[in-house]
Amino acid sequence: MHLKKLFALILLLFTLQLVAMAKPEALRVEPAFWWAGMASPDLQLMLHGPDIGNLKPELQHEGIVVKDVIKVSNPNYLFLNIDISKASAGKFRLQLKDGNRVVHKYTYELKERKAGSSQRQGFDNSDVIYLITPDRFANGNPKNDNVKSMAEKANRSDKSGRHGGDLEGIIQHLDYLKDMGFTALWVNPVLENNQQNTSYHGYSTTDYYKVDPRFGDNAQYVALSEKADERGIKLIMDMIPNHIGSEHWWMDDLPTEDWLNYQDNYKQTNHRREAIQDPHAAAYDRNLHTQGWFVESMPDLNQENELLAQYLIQNAIWWIEYANLGGIRVDTYSYSYPPFMTEWTRRIMEEYPNFNIVGEEWSLNPAIVAYWQRGKKNPNGYTSYLPSLMDFPVQNALVAALRDDETGWDTGWLHLYAMLANDFQYADPGNLVVFPDNHDMDRIYTQLNQDAALTKLALTYILTTRGIPQLYYGTEILMHNDAPGDHGIIRTDFPGGWEGDKINAFTGQRLTEEQRQMQEFTKKLLNWRKNTEAVQTGKLTHYAPYKGVYAYFRVQGDQKVMVILNKNEKPYDLALDKFAAQLNGKTKGVDAITGKTYQLDKKALALPPKAPLVLELQ
């Protein structure tokens, strides 16, 4: 009897093994779901599974029309182009058949769109953006620091390793952002980065539809967006259409022979961004810029492949709709294939006419930056639909202005004055994002040689000039990097974000007096800016700097603001006669920072040393 039971058990195990072996691997479908009622009637589905290329797809849903079934060189892929223009929301069955035998089944869903989704308002001049590197901001859930399926583990002592910050940490401190006065949140990439090392920064995507589990999951990202929205904060997603990580799941099974640039022969980009616009540039240099890889761990995507191009466009729209985004920041904008970026932005703006997208074009030449903005008439005929760009020229000029002395005819503040004069090159200079620093450069306090007074002047300018301001996390408490250029140090942990931190910037615990003053200064200026339309959208008129003083006005209707930035180490008497046209009967100004009233009906105004004045004119 015992042998019979043993034989039966062996037979059962053998049978189960055969069943398991016969069961097909799960079918991957991307995007996993979509929405009815989108502006574009077309939807492309990427199907991935073993040897599915010769299977016949069937879709059963009223209103859906299969336009094309596309087979590629890799038999593990199928692409379906379907028309959903007449389809209503609901679930339907997708089957892959071998003759009459069903090999794969998948329940696809067209979801109902949220009311007003297409008319969502993207970030704009009324906002101030707070930039966070999520791994370095706050660790809200230590349990997800290490995930078995993820290659790199947490090591807070490694400046280039993962420290454990996550989405839950950001959610837990949204009230801090709100109280400070921030109204938009740009989070460095949070999608899966299953790289062997230096995965914390997020710029080597290994799955375009999945949040990295060490940050949380897709549902938690949606929760971040919802909870931020409850506090009047828009969520901006950092997207990377140019390249992926070398551990992306595609790399084990590339869909086509031209999915990547230099797919079989790695070449690094030459970083010659200006070659795109240069009328004298060799085609070799232009092509190597856009087709070359950043580094060997970041394969460059070939966006001339129409299937890949559609995949990337749909992925961006999917995240906007799914996570209720208030904006997109595009990494390495000019490194992508230019015609593709035209279509990428056009399609997004077609779906969401009031949305905003800011591109990174790290050039100090405003003519190079202006080339990519929507509405710019370019000599070579290139058309862009990108609304906004990061204003690297102004950032660089601001630092030069503050670090340089005022002894020459073109030194000091004149760097900034002259750079702003280039605004005639932009189609919409008011829609540029201005910033003192970001995650890829030395912190502004470091750039200004840890001079708190100069840092206040820098922040005052950023928060009162034209454009949309962005501050990097920790700028408000004078975070700095002692090792210039070291990204791991630049992206230092925000104090108070980890249990056991002795210094807590969220509560003010153990901040130095100088740090507390800067935090309070920033908070006052941010919250004042929220309700001051003149510095959001008002006309800017600036006066040529003189003897270390730079002054400009922001005017919107009857509201006038006069900003005076004094670099002098001593008090300075500013003659007021040249401002008569702008003052125009205004006899006093109330400083938004200190609340002090200054009389403007005198010959001169006594300026405090090395300090800003932000005067609401009355």
Side-chain angles (χ1 to χ4, degrees):
M1 190 69 178
H2 178 70
L3 289 175
K4 287 183 178 180
K5 286 185 177 179
L6 181 60
F7 179 76
L9 179 60
I10 292 172
L11 183 61
L12 176 61
L13 291 174
F14 181 70
T15 302
L16 290 173
Q17 186 178 15
L18 287 176
V19 171
M21 291 173 63
K23 184 179 179 181
E25 292 182 27
L27 179 69
R28 181 190 283 262
V29 180
E30 291 183 344
F33 54 84
W34 199 248
W35 293 266
M38 302 295 281
S40 174
D42 298 319
L43 174 64
Q44 173 185 287
L45 301 182
M46 170 190 276
L47 312 183
H48 180 251
D51 296 315
I52 64 171
N54 292 318
L55 300 180
K56 181 182 178 181
E58 288 186 354
L59 293 174
Q60 297 175 345
H61 187 70
E62 186 177 350
I64 287 182
V65 178
V66 179
K67 296 171 65 177
D68 297 295
V69 177
I70 302 171
K71 299 179 181 181
V72 292
S73 56
N74 187 336
N76 296 331
Y77 287 88
L78 271 178
F79 292 84
L80 306 185
N81 287 334
I82 61 178
D83 184 335
I84 60 171
S85 59
K86 297 180 180 179
S88 56
K91 295 181 180 180
F92 62 94
R93 179 64 57 84
L94 165 61
Q95 296 184 156
L96 294 183
K97 300 175 72 175
D98 181 5
N100 292 323
R101 183 173 67 92
V102 176
V103 180
H104 290 283
K105 294 180 182 179
Y106 187 90
T107 301
Y108 205 86
E109 182 178 7
L110 290 178
K111 295 179 179 290
E112 196 78 48
R113 298 184 77 183
K114 292 181 180 178
S117 177
S118 64
Q119 297 303 311
R120 70 185 64 228
Q121 179 61 54
F123 66 90
D124 57 25
N125 301 86
S126 66
D127 292 307
V128 177
I129 302 167
Y130 194 60
L131 167 57
I132 287 176
T133 300
D135 181 66
R136 305 299 174 86
F137 186 65
N139 189 349
N141 179 17
K143 292 181 180 179
N144 65 19
D145 289 359
N146 295 302
V147 175
K148 188 176 180 180
S149 61
M150 296 290 104
E152 189 175 15
K153 309 305 177 185
N155 181 4
R156 199 178 175 198
S157 65
D158 181 359
K159 65 181 181 180
S160 298
R162 299 193 76 94
H163 291 189
D166 50 28
L167 295 174
E168 182 58 35
I170 300 174
I171 290 171
Q172 291 174 5
H173 295 100
L174 284 172
D175 284 338
Y176 170 77
L177 272 65
K178 179 184 177 184
D179 291 344
M180 283 296 299
F182 294 102
T183 58
L185 172 60
W186 161 22
V187 181
N188 285 150
V190 296
L191 297 185
E192 183 193 87
N193 263 243
N194 199 7
Q195 299 289 110
Q196 295 294 323
N197 50 59
T198 323
S199 65
Y200 77 94
H201 57 65
Y203 286 98
S204 301
T205 307
T206 57
D207 191 325
Y208 272 111
Y209 281 98
K210 182 184 178 184
V211 166
D212 194 296
R214 292 161 295 188
F215 289 143
D217 57 24
N218 287 19
Q220 200 162 29
Y221 187 70
V222 173
L224 169 62
S225 179
E226 291 173 345
K227 293 179 184 296
D229 185 60
E230 290 170 3
R231 293 163 174 80
I233 299 172
K234 300 165 185 170
L235 181 60
I236 300 169
M237 190 173 193
D238 205 332
M239 293 189 177
I240 314 130
N242 178 65
H243 56 263
I244 55 175
S246 56
E247 301 302 317
H248 190 289
W249 68 268
W250 282 333
M251 296 302 290
D252 292 328
D253 198 26
L254 287 167
T256 67
E257 295 172 354
D258 64 346
W259 202 250
L260 306 177
N261 289 312
Y262 297 112
Q263 189 154 306
D264 300 316
N265 182 25
Y266 161 74
K267 285 189 180 181
Q268 190 168 2
T269 177
N270 56 13
H271 298 288
R272 295 278 63 89
R273 293 179 293 272
E274 57 276 3
I276 303 298
Q277 298 93 338
D278 181 3
H280 313 294
Y284 175 86
D285 289 331
R286 266 197 304 271
N287 293 336
L288 186 57
H289 168 67
T290 57
Q291 295 174 11
W293 298 19
F294 245 66
V295 289
E296 219 165 339
S297 62
M298 293 180 176
D300 200 77
L301 296 172
N302 176 21
Q303 297 137 352
E304 292 185 68
N305 181 305
E306 293 181 0
L307 297 172
L308 173 59
Q310 180 70 356
Y311 178 96
L312 293 171
I313 291 168
Q314 288 184 173
N315 178 256
I317 294 171
W318 189 91
W319 278 108
I320 296 169
E321 196 74 18
Y322 173 66
N324 194 32
L325 298 180
I328 294 173
R329 180 264 184 182
V330 187
D331 184 61
T332 56
Y333 192 88
S334 67
Y335 286 76
S336 292
Y337 180 52
F340 163 75
M341 293 312 299
T342 292
E343 184 63 6
W344 190 86
T345 49
R346 186 194 71 78
R347 288 277 302 278
I348 292 171
M349 298 308 296
E350 178 185 58
E351 291 285 355
Y352 309 99
N354 302 318
F355 199 62
N356 209 349
I357 308 169
V358 57
E360 178 198 32
E361 169 59 299
W362 196 332
S363 173
L364 305 184
N365 182 346
I368 300 295
V369 178
Y371 176 86
W372 299 102
Q373 192 174 35
R374 179 176 62 187
K376 175 70 172 179
K377 296 187 183 301
N378 291 305
N380 66 0
Y382 179 75
T383 300
S384 177
Y385 292 87
L386 178 69
S388 176
L389 287 120
M390 309 298 301
D391 197 341
F392 283 94
V394 158
Q395 188 280 332
N396 184 70
L398 174 62
V399 173
L402 289 168
R403 292 176 60 171
D404 199 9
D405 61 40
E406 298 287 339
T407 57
W409 68 274
D410 61 349
T411 62
W413 284 121
L414 284 161
H415 292 291
L416 189 56
Y417 172 80
M419 183 57 71
L420 201 66
N422 282 286
D423 271 6
F424 71 89
Q425 300 197 57
Y426 296 102
D428 186 5
N431 203 17
L432 300 175
V433 172
V434 291
F435 57 101
D437 58 10
N438 66 19
H439 59 294
D440 285 328
M441 61 175 64
D442 290 334
R443 287 182 171 273
I444 186 62
Y445 187 48
T446 296
Q447 292 185 60
L448 298 177
N449 301 315
Q450 296 191 24
D451 187 321
L454 290 182
T455 303
K456 283 184 179 179
L457 289 171
L459 296 192
T460 301
Y461 180 79
I462 292 298
L463 295 173
T464 58
T465 191
R466 60 95 176 109
I468 304 167
Q470 168 250 298
L471 301 184
Y472 192 32
Y473 79 96
T475 295
E476 72 272 25
I477 57 163
L478 297 175
M479 282 177 64
H480 62 282
N481 53 292
D482 292 328
D486 190 320
H487 287 184
I489 302 299
I490 290 169
R491 303 157 186 170
T492 297
D493 296 347
F494 192 78
W498 279 254
E499 187 175 351
D501 283 359
K502 293 180 180 179
I503 300 173
N504 191 328
F506 297 116
T507 65
Q509 176 183 328
R510 294 195 176 183
L511 290 179
T512 67
E513 183 59 29
E514 197 169 49
Q515 287 176 316
R516 278 195 293 269
Q517 287 180 6
M518 183 61 72
Q519 191 178 44
E520 186 59 29
F521 168 85
T522 307
K523 183 177 180 179
K524 276 190 176 180
L525 206 47
L526 284 171
N527 281 287
W528 168 80
R529 189 186 187 281
K530 274 186 185 179
N531 303 305
T532 310
E533 289 188 16
V535 295
Q536 295 174 10
T537 56
K539 175 178 170 54
L540 188 151
T541 301
H542 65 165
Y543 287 75
Y546 182 69
K547 292 191 174 181
V549 178
Y550 183 27
Y552 51 92
F553 291 78
R554 302 298 306 275
V555 181
Q556 178 81 342
D558 294 331
Q559 190 179 63
K560 280 191 177 183
V561 173
M562 181 182 188
V563 181
I564 308 170
L565 305 175
N566 179 23
K567 270 177 63 183
N568 293 291
E569 298 281 352
K570 297 180 180 180
Y572 179 81
D573 289 335
L574 177 66
L576 295 174
D577 55 332
K578 68 179 179 181
F579 306 115
Q582 287 293 327
L583 291 174
N584 192 25
K586 302 290 185 181
T587 59
K588 60 183 180 179
V590 179
D591 185 19
I593 301 166
T594 64
K596 182 179 177 180
T597 298
Y598 290 82
Q599 291 300 130
L600 302 175
D601 53 357
K602 300 179 180 180
K603 289 186 177 180
L605 175 64
L607 302 180
K610 209 173 182 180
L613 287 182
V614 182
L615 304 178
E616 289 191 80
L617 303 188
Q618 298 177 0

